[in-house]
Amino acid sequence: SSGGGGEEGAKGGVRGAAHCACGRRLGCGSFLDPFADNDFLWAFLSRMAYQQAVYTVQTYLLYYIRDAVALPAGMQPQTALSVVMLPLLCCALLSPLVTGYASDAAAGAKRLILLGAGLSMAVVTALMAVVRTWSALPWLAAAFGAGYGTFNALDFALAMDVLPGGDGSAAKDLGLWNLALAIPMCLAAPSGGIVLDKVNAAWGNNAGYTVLFGMAAS
């Protein structure tokens, strides 16, 4: 067992030395230290993937409604978007009140609830990739909103739990974690637009939304 402990220690030392060397080369010193912590790194990467999907759906939702959904006679896409957003926002507002309490009341429930919220949004987004029926959209939006509100609340709580520097560098570490929200905001619109245009040009029939929302769900 002592040999195994020594091997793990050596591996940790190599990783630490490589990380420090990288920080010195980039000139950012200890700023990148939180990424050496696996829990923080996974929290960062999962949040970035989640935000990429959310911003993709958010950016192209109006165009999806305009191009791919058969709206009732006389209803404008902007009005339809408002109708869809109302249940989404209401459920996003109310769901954390229930799931947040449940996650605090039961030990180990936070990760399970977070996983359930992510899966619910993935299922809804996958359904939006193939469902083009107007009557279904407000219900799908409500389910997405419940998952969205829960995920945002509990993911922030999870990030607080895995901050590697503790209270001494919490503000700096949260600023670094916030990049997982900001980077997808810059990437979602252009990358989604490229996918949408290329697929629609190749396959037509608004197939780009099926591929785009399918990618977001995955």
Side-chain angles (χ1 to χ4, degrees):
S1 61
S2 60
E7 182 179 350
E8 288 300 319
K11 289 181 179 178
V14 170
R15 286 195 297 266
H19 174 73
C20 292
C22 177
R24 285 194 296 272
R25 287 197 299 271
L26 294 174
C28 47
S30 61
F31 183 77
L32 296 178
D33 282 353
F35 286 123
D37 183 271
N38 284 336
D39 288 339
F40 182 86
L41 179 62
W42 278 109
F44 180 91
L45 293 176
S46 63
R47 181 68 180 207
M48 188 162 67
Y50 159 75
Q51 289 297 150
Q52 178 74 18
V54 167
Y55 287 140
T56 298
V57 174
Q58 176 182 306
T59 301
Y60 292 99
L61 184 58
L62 175 60
Y63 306 108
Y64 162 77
I65 291 174
R66 183 195 66 186
D67 298 337
V69 178
L71 297 177
M75 179 178 285
Q76 297 297 314
Q78 295 86 345
T79 304
L81 178 63
S82 298
V83 173
V84 168
M85 291 301 294
L86 181 61
L88 190 155
L89 293 174
C90 289
C91 290
L93 178 66
L94 296 175
S95 62
L97 301 179
V98 177
T99 54
Y101 176 81
S103 71
D104 289 338
K110 186 181 298 178
R111 294 176 187 270
L112 292 177
I113 295 174
L114 195 62
L115 178 61
L119 287 175
S120 70
M121 287 186 290
V123 170
V124 169
T125 306
L127 288 173
M128 288 178 63
V130 295
V131 172
R132 306 292 170 88
T133 306
W134 161 247
S135 59
L137 280 187
W139 297 102
L140 292 176
F144 187 93
Y148 179 80
T150 296
F151 193 97
N152 276 289
L154 296 190
D155 192 51
F156 183 80
L158 184 64
M160 295 297 295
D161 289 342
V162 300
L163 292 181
D167 293 340
S169 60
K172 185 265 291 180
D173 292 346
L174 280 176
L176 191 61
W177 178 75
N178 187 65
L179 291 176
L181 286 72
I183 293 173
M185 192 181 297
C186 301
L187 297 178
S191 61
I194 292 171
V195 171
L196 197 58
D197 289 342
K198 295 292 186 183
V199 175
N200 279 340
W203 296 343
N205 198 30
N206 292 314
Y209 293 106
T210 301
V211 173
L212 187 64
F213 287 1
M215 290 172 59
S218 63

